[in-house]
Amino acid sequence: MGLSLAPGFTYYPDYLDRAVQEALLDAIRAITRAAPLYTPRMPRTGKPFSVRMTNCGPLGWVSDQTGYRYQPTHPETGAPWPPLPPVLLKAWTTLSDFPHPPDACLINFYEPTAKMGLHQDKDEDELGAPVVSLSLGDTALFRYGGLDRKDPTRSIRLKSGDAVVFGGPARLAFHGIDRLLPGSSDLLPQGGRLNLTLRKVVRAL
Ligand code: MD6
Ligand code: FE
């Protein structure tokens, strides 16, 4: 039972209970052992992101000096991404209302000072599917606006266990993370935040 914050944008506070958050964290630890977090770089400038990333699923989103893209292998190890764990497939089935499984789950790790600039998720060919986002660890200030970068924005706090879904008219809305609230969760022993975004990349319809 979610709260509609804008057309196509639904917020599910406390979607994952503590036991499921811990199980998901264990699954992410196994994923990062096989596919280590790496530091992506901005296209053209090569400036490093403050967030580290990895992926699971058949495809993963990567960024380097040559651009943004989805690819089937880790950019540093060359290995295929690990499979999507059942807990993520279940969240997608329940939240997406889309009749095909996701192709990709991008895993973002935020140190206490990391942030993510305002952006659109538009590297997917299947824009009929929503993006399903799950948060673990420290609370983050999540900013969202409209389809134009200059549209007015609002902010919500995404805390550990919260889910948000960006679909329909919100699928290409601008959004970003302004900052974390350090010390707001004890899920991650060293603090910080994990965000997982599930996507259908390849056209299904
Ligand atoms: C984050 N989230 O929460 C970044 N993208 O750390 C995203 O960039 C995002 O939460 C698309 C849909 C939902 C999201
Ligand atoms: Fe995004």
Side-chain angles (χ1 to χ4, degrees):
M1 166 230 62
L3 305 168
S4 179
L5 299 185
F9 178 34
T10 311
Y11 172 49
Y12 297 83
D14 304 307
Y15 180 70
L16 304 173
D17 69 23
R18 176 74 183 209
V20 175
Q21 292 174 45
E22 288 174 1
L24 179 53
L25 180 57
D26 280 342
I28 296 166
R29 288 187 174 120
I31 289 164
T32 60
R33 281 194 289 273
L37 290 164
Y38 77 99
T39 300
R41 294 182 173 272
M42 292 297 293
R44 293 195 315 282
T45 63
K47 183 178 182 296
F49 285 53
S50 63
V51 172
R52 286 187 292 151
M53 296 182 175
T54 191
N55 291 269
C56 57
L59 291 173
W61 187 88
V62 301
S63 182
D64 63 20
Q65 200 150 2
T66 70
Y68 305 135
R69 64 191 173 276
Y70 282 93
Q71 64 180 45
T73 54
H74 191 288
E76 294 183 349
T77 70
W81 302 109
L84 288 156
V87 57
L88 292 181
L89 292 170
K90 183 179 166 202
W92 172 269
T93 300
T94 310
L95 292 173
S96 73
D97 195 34
F98 193 75
H100 300 274
D103 297 310
C105 177
L106 172 62
I107 301 171
N108 291 147
F109 176 67
Y110 294 74
E111 306 275 0
T113 59
K115 53 195 166 52
M116 185 174 295
L118 212 61
H119 68 275
Q120 295 170 293
D121 286 34
K122 58 175 186 188
D123 298 322
E124 302 74 29
D125 291 330
E126 184 51 84
L127 294 176
V131 177
V132 170
S133 159
L134 302 172
S135 293
L136 294 175
D138 284 337
T139 299
L141 293 182
F142 179 84
R143 180 186 296 274
Y144 63 97
L147 300 184
D148 193 311
R149 182 177 287 278
K150 289 171 291 188
D151 286 341
T153 61
R154 303 189 60 152
S155 291
I156 57 169
R157 290 172 179 221
L158 292 183
K159 63 186 187 305
S160 196
D162 288 353
V164 301
V165 178
F166 262 54
R171 178 61 181 77
L172 293 175
F174 277 89
H175 59 278
I177 296 290
D178 287 341
R179 63 183 176 85
L180 302 195
L181 277 50
S184 45
S185 167
D186 64 4
L187 184 72
L188 304 183
Q190 316 274 14
R193 172 172 181 265
L194 288 160
N195 175 257
L196 293 86
T197 42
L198 292 152
R199 301 104 185 279
K200 181 82 189 97
V201 177
V202 178
R203 281 288 279 269
L205 298 180

